[in-house]
Amino acid sequence: MTKSNETGWNLDNSYARLPEKFFTSTNPTPVSSPELVILNERLAESLGLDVSTLESEDGVAVFAGNEIPEGALPLAQAYAGHQFGHFNMLGDGRAVLLGEQILPEGERVDIQLKGPGRTPYSRGGDGRAALGPMLREYIISEAMHGLGIPTTRSLAVVTTGETIIRETRLPGAIMTRVAASHLRVGTFQFAAKWGTVEELRTLADYTIKRHYPDVEADENRYLSLFQEVITRQAKLIAQWQLVGFIHGVMNTDNMTISGETIDYGPCAFMDAYDLETVFSSIDQQGRYAYGNQPLIGGWNLARFAESLLPLLHDDQEQAVKLAQDKISEFNEIYHSNWLAGMRAKLGLFNEETQDEALINGLLTMMKKHGADYTNTFRALTFDTMEDSVLFGAPEFVQWYELWQARLGREQESKASSTQLMKNSNPAVIPRNHRVEEALEAAEKKGDYSVMEKLLDALSNPYAHSEEQAEYSTLPASTKPYRTFCGT
Ligand code: AMP
Ligand code: MG
C-alpha cells in the first residue's frame, strides 16, 4: 500500500460491484524501473491530488502499476464492439481500471492505467503501450480539453524501463487516463449479447445513476437514457466537425456513453478542408473519413439502441418503434449544433435562413482552392485579409462582400462579432508536424520541453496570443500524413 492519504487518492470501485460478467479482477504487471516523464499538474490538483507526492517514488509506483493505492480494485472491463462494421468480443486488452477518484462534490472519475500488461482480454497482444502513442494521446486529449470539447484526460505518462516489440523495439510506457467513465456503446453490446436482461438492466441503471441521474424517475428511463446519449454524441461530433478533428477509429467500442471523446489512436486534425480526409493507415475504405463522422455516429447509436431494446418495451415491436423515433432525431440535433457553431465561427449572433448557404459557399471554395481549414477561419478574425490563393479568388471577394453585408445586419457591434469569432476559431490546433516534432524530441532525446511548450499553446487555443502565431505555420512537406493504431 502506498501513502494514499498523503497523495490524496480517494478511490472506490463501484464498477466492481456490477455482475461479475462485466469485468475480470486483474492486477497490473509490475515494471522494472518506472520513471515519470510528464504529469498534468493542473488536472492532478483538480482531482485533489498532491503534485509533489505524485512525483515521488511512491506516487510514480502507482502510475506504473507497481503499487495499488488504497480503495482501488484493479479490473479489466469486458466489452464488445463493431470494428469497421464487424462485431467482435473485445474488452480491456491493455488497460486496467483502478477505480474511481471521488471528488469533493461526490462526482466520480475513472482512473485507468493504459499499457499495464496482459489481461484476460488481451488475446494475442502484450497488454503494453509504447511511449510515442501514449504521449500522442496525452497531447491530443489535452488539446481537445483546451478546445472545450468533452474528452478523457491524461494525468501522467511513465516510462517502464522495458522495451516492447512492435515493428521495431520501442520504449514501453503507461498512461494514466481520467474519464467520466469508460462505459462504451460496446459495453452495452456485450451485455445484450452475453448477459441476461436483468444484467443489462443493472448496467443501464448503473449508467443512469452515474451519468444521467435526472432521468432516473422518468416513466421510461431507458428511453430517456438513449435520448441523452443521442444528444451528447450529436453535440460532441458537431464539435469535432467544427474544429476539423478526425477520430479515425469510430468503432462502437470507442464511443462513450458519457459523450466524451475516447481512444486517441489514429486521430488527427485536418489541414486542407476536404470531407474525404482520412489519416488512418488501416481505414482504406474511408469509413471514418471526416465527412462521414456524423453518419457513423448515428450508425453507432443504432447499435446502442439495439442493445437497449429489451429494456425499452416488453413488446419488441414497440421497442423498435420507440428506438427508431428517437434515433431519427440524431441528425437534427447534430445539424442544429453544427449550424450554431458555424454561425459563431463567422461571428453571427442571430439566425437568417440564408446562413447555411453562406457557410457552405465558404466551405466549397476552401475545398476548391485547397485552403487550410483552421487558418482560413483564423484569418477571417483579422481586420485585413492575408494573401492566399483563396482570398485572392474573385468568387471569394464576392463571398466576402455578402458576409460583410450579413454582419452589417446584426444588432451587435463589429467588435462583438470579432470576439465571438476569436472565441470560436482556434488560433492553434495540434498540427501533425508539430506533434511529431514534440514526440521526436521526447522519444529520441528525452527532451520534453518541445512538448511542454506545445501543450502550453494548446491549453488556451482561443487566446490568439503572439506566442501562438508560430503554431499556425503549415508543414513544409505536402506528403500525405499517415497515422497508425497506437498498439
Ligand atoms: P483500440 O483499437 O485501441 O480501441 O483497441 C481495440 C482492442 O484491442 C481493445 O480491446 C484493446 O484493449 C485491444 N488492444 C490494443 N492493443 C493491445 C495490446 N498491445 N495488447 C492487448 N490488447 C490490445
Ligand atoms: Mg478502444
Side-chain angles (χ1 to χ4, degrees), residues 265-286:
C267 66
F269 282 71
M270 174 169 71
D271 294 311
Y273 175 80
D274 186 348
L275 291 173
E276 289 176 20
T277 310
V278 174
F279 290 111
S280 171
S281 55
I282 57 165
D283 190 5
Q284 279 164 6
Q285 310 291 320

Side-chain angles (χ1 to χ4, degrees), residues 2-11 48-50 53 69-71:
T2 57
K3 298 172 195 130
S4 307
N5 291 344
E6 271 173 49
T7 319
W9 288 119
N10 183 22
L11 293 162
L49 299 170
D50 180 67
T53 321
E70 204 179 309

Side-chain angles (χ1 to χ4, degrees), residues 79-83 86-90 123 194:
Y79 53 84
H82 276 91
Q83 298 181 298
H86 303 284
F87 186 79
N88 287 312
M89 169 62 204
L90 299 163
R123 294 170 289 169
W194 286 290

Side-chain angles (χ1 to χ4, degrees), residues 133 160 266:
T160 57

Side-chain angles (χ1 to χ4, degrees), residues 79 90-94 122-123 125-128 166 254 263 487:
Y79 53 84
L90 299 163
D92 285 333
R94 55 154 175 177
S122 294
R123 294 170 289 169
D126 60 1
R128 291 294 184 193
R166 294 294 180 263
N254 291 337
D263 276 3
T487 49

